[in-house]
Amino acid sequence: MSRKIIAILLLIVGLGSSCFVAWQRLRAESRNRAVEIVLDYSEIQDLAAASGMSVKQIARKFKEAGATSVAISEQTMGVAIDNRLITPYGAQRYAVVGNNAERIAAHLRMALPKLSNRIISTPLNARDGVSFSYLTLDASIPMEYIEQVPVGLPQDAIKTVCDAGLIPVARLVNYSGASPRSINAILNDVRANGIQTVIFSGDQVLGFKGAVKNTARSLHMNDLNFGRVEFSKQKGELTFADTAPGNVITVHSITQSEMPTLDMPSIIERFQKAVRERGVRMVYVRMYDTASADLVTMNAEYVNAIARAIRRGGYALKPAHPMDELAVPRYFRMIAGVGVAAGAMLLIFTLVDLSAGAAAAWSILLIAICAGLPAIGAMGQKAVALLSALVFPVLAVVNATKGAPDSPKTMPMPYMRALGRFAVAVITVAAGGMLIVGLLSARDFMLRVDQFAGVKLAHLLPVLVVAILYGCRVAWTKGTWQAQKEKFLGTLKEIAANPMLIWQVALMAVMLVLVGIMVTRSGNDSGVGVSSIELKFRAILDKVLYVRPRTKEFLIGYPALIVGIAFALKGRRSVAAPLVVIGSIGLISALNTFCHIHTPIALSLIRVANGAIVGGLIGLIVCRIVRGRADA
């Protein structure tokens, strides 16, 4: 049995293990279809004031429109004073309306347990049917400090939300002086109010800095969910999510500053895609219309449009719950690692003619590394996943041009043959992607608490390796290590001795620009903007193909690869080499799709298939044009 057949069999075994993991992931994703539409209580209050309706009436109207929850912000002492719930009455003495004094005093004692004996509530006799209480604080407590301390969630707001049939969500604030004892008391009180989910306000989670893990453990013990707002980069949120991953629900929100810049269809599409493509299970919806003849109806229709868009994706509007952990023994990850080792072996065997002893040594070493690293945990799994992302695109490209003649010759149906080799190349990178799925599919990665490591490197290095292999003429034929080394060094000397032509410089510049764009725009939060024209183009593709393939695959990479393979089969290596290097961009992008573990596995497979089909068709059209010009 040849060494390549053994490597292919090991690859198949690794893929079998990865498919089992993918199946477990698919089951976990299918059980997590509940989505909450969360509104902001303060915005509902604003609508009530503008419309003359009660908060409860408006909340019920939004429930009928499809909303499930309302976020209620925790009050601070300063906010309570601004809202005239508390009125300063002398030095460190406050008049409190209604029955709120004892509640506020109790929360202050919770938040500041070491100062609890300096916080006194004194009820007074009712005057003109209105009850008052005095809240007295020790003069040693600075006013500037006490104003930022939380005094709890407004009870009337919780009651109003519940009476309207909606679910209250707590928005808690962080404050200086929060201790494990006070944090636990605050979260106990949140749970006692029947609240299930907490979304932290501001740019910090409760307990930052120094007590974040205490907050996470207390939240877990109180069986509360942590609404983690994606892309918000709250300080401490990653540590929080890492400590209590079983309590995390991903939230998508559009900031108040961004809302005026977006039209309604864009907002609806954004929420829909967040749910469908990134595992978001709570959408925090802010009011769209702020000036209208009927603000309530207009905003209710807007919420209803979001609800309909989410339901069309097969999701249910009901209380969200955290993602289940995958029940996958570690040895399945190790077997997937063997598949990665097999891919690396195939790449080596394709390029270098090794002796039997050297081939066995390399094989044993690769299997030991790639199967051993996943056994030590997430870091090892990420290392082997990165190796897969580096190896399989190079393997796919090299195999696609294997056996190409070294001089021009006539070959029947070169473009159809090129299309067949292109299909094999896509299947090869899909195999590498599935091995990454087998290595990394776990709840932490599905929630983006942990992520594939080396995204930029996985985009850049394979292109450079392919460019070097073809530029130094090593990729075309297999040879001994010494022969390949001499060919590599000889080509480098030849390149250094000859002046570069203008067209070569221009081609290199184009390739560098393409690679630069690909690298800078990799990831969901790349920091590189997208033009409005491209956004519209993407929206059209989403509607036509259900899942949009990546532009760099079907418009750039795949057409270039197909034409490049065709030229290689006709012996035109000098033309083929730069084209297959550009074509490798498409294959790298396809494999990178599988690195986004937070995206449902079914969508990743559809995206890769759509890219290959559309790119293949465009590639054939380009081939037809090239052949027509050649015939002319």
Side-chain angles (χ1 to χ4, degrees), residues 260-577:
T261 67
L262 300 173
D263 58 20
M264 192 179 295
S266 298
I267 294 171
I268 294 168
E269 181 189 12
R270 183 160 155 177
F271 283 125
Q272 182 187 40
K273 291 183 70 174
V275 170
R276 188 183 72 175
E277 297 186 9
R278 298 197 302 278
V280 166
R281 291 299 176 262
M282 295 184 81
V283 292
Y284 199 112
V285 178
R286 300 200 177 270
M287 297 298 110
Y288 181 75
D289 284 307
T290 56
S292 172
D294 190 350
L295 281 173
V296 176
T297 299
M298 291 294 292
N299 280 294
E301 290 175 354
Y302 154 68
V303 170
N304 184 249
I306 294 172
R308 291 198 309 271
I310 292 172
R311 285 196 187 101
R312 279 198 299 270
Y315 298 92
L317 296 176
K318 58 183 182 180
H321 56 84
M323 174 74 70
D324 295 334
E325 180 59 288
L326 273 63
V328 176
R330 186 163 291 181
Y331 60 81
F332 279 95
R333 320 270 188 199
M334 297 171 66
I335 297 173
V338 172
V340 176
M345 290 157 55
L346 284 170
L347 179 58
I348 293 171
F349 298 157
T350 302
L351 294 172
V352 183
D353 189 8
L354 296 174
S355 65
W362 273 105
S363 300
I364 293 170
L365 178 63
L366 285 168
I367 291 172
I369 292 172
C370 294
L373 284 176
I376 67 175
M379 285 300 295
Q381 292 160 15
K382 288 193 286 186
V384 179
L386 177 59
L387 179 62
S388 182
L390 299 176
V391 164
F392 278 86
V394 180
L395 175 64
V397 174
V398 172
N399 272 333
T401 60
K402 184 175 60 177
D406 58 1
S407 60
K409 62 175 291 187
T410 303
M411 176 174 286
M413 301 180 67
Y415 298 109
M416 294 308 297
R417 290 172 184 265
L419 188 63
R421 292 197 176 207
F422 160 73
V424 173
V426 174
I427 292 170
T428 301
V429 292
M434 286 301 295
L435 292 172
I436 293 173
V437 168
L439 286 162
L440 300 185
S441 289
R443 182 171 57 194
D444 283 2
F445 290 91
M446 295 164 76
L447 294 172
R448 276 179 287 174
V449 175
D450 204 349
Q451 297 190 64
F452 173 84
V455 173
K456 306 295 184 186
L457 185 64
H459 276 84
L460 180 61
L461 192 56
V463 178
L464 295 178
V465 171
V466 169
I468 291 169
L469 291 177
Y470 282 92
C472 295
R473 302 168 189 169
V474 174
W476 298 109
T477 55
K478 182 169 68 170
T480 64
W481 171 255
Q482 186 61 34
Q484 294 288 58
K485 179 181 174 182
E486 290 175 358
K487 187 187 297 182
F488 178 80
L489 294 175
T491 306
L492 284 181
K493 290 178 182 178
E494 183 182 331
I495 293 172
N498 293 319
M500 292 193 70
L501 302 177
I502 293 175
W503 71 267
Q504 293 172 324
V505 175
L507 181 61
M508 287 182 62
V510 170
M511 292 175 63
L512 286 172
V513 169
L514 290 174
V515 173
I517 292 173
M518 179 181 69
V519 172
T520 55
R521 289 180 55 173
S522 59
N524 283 318
D525 192 17
S526 63
V528 178
V530 180
S531 68
S532 58
I533 295 174
E534 185 175 352
L535 286 174
K536 291 178 182 177
F537 182 56
R538 289 180 176 187
I540 293 170
L541 289 174
D542 271 320
K543 290 178 181 177
V544 174
L545 299 174
Y546 180 65
V547 180
R548 172 185 62 84
R550 300 187 189 279
T551 308
K552 55 196 168 191
E553 293 174 27
F554 74 89
L555 273 184
I556 300 173
Y558 291 162
L561 182 62
I562 292 170
V563 176
I565 295 171
F567 275 113
L569 293 176
K570 292 193 292 185
R572 307 266 310 267
R573 290 183 176 182
S574 60
V575 179

Side-chain angles (χ1 to χ4, degrees), residues 171 198-202 205 226-235 237-238 241 248-255 270 280 282-284 286 447-448:
R171 298 218 63 185
V198 172
I199 301 174
F200 296 110
S201 296
V205 303
F226 166 42
R228 184 189 180 203
V229 184
E230 62 171 357
F231 311 134
S232 68
K233 299 180 180 177
Q234 281 184 319
K235 296 180 180 68
E237 54 95 13
L238 190 58
V248 176
I249 296 175
T250 305
V251 181
H252 184 72
S253 175
I254 301 174
T255 62
R270 183 160 155 177
V280 166
M282 295 184 81
V283 292
Y284 199 112
R286 300 200 177 270
L447 294 172
R448 276 179 287 174

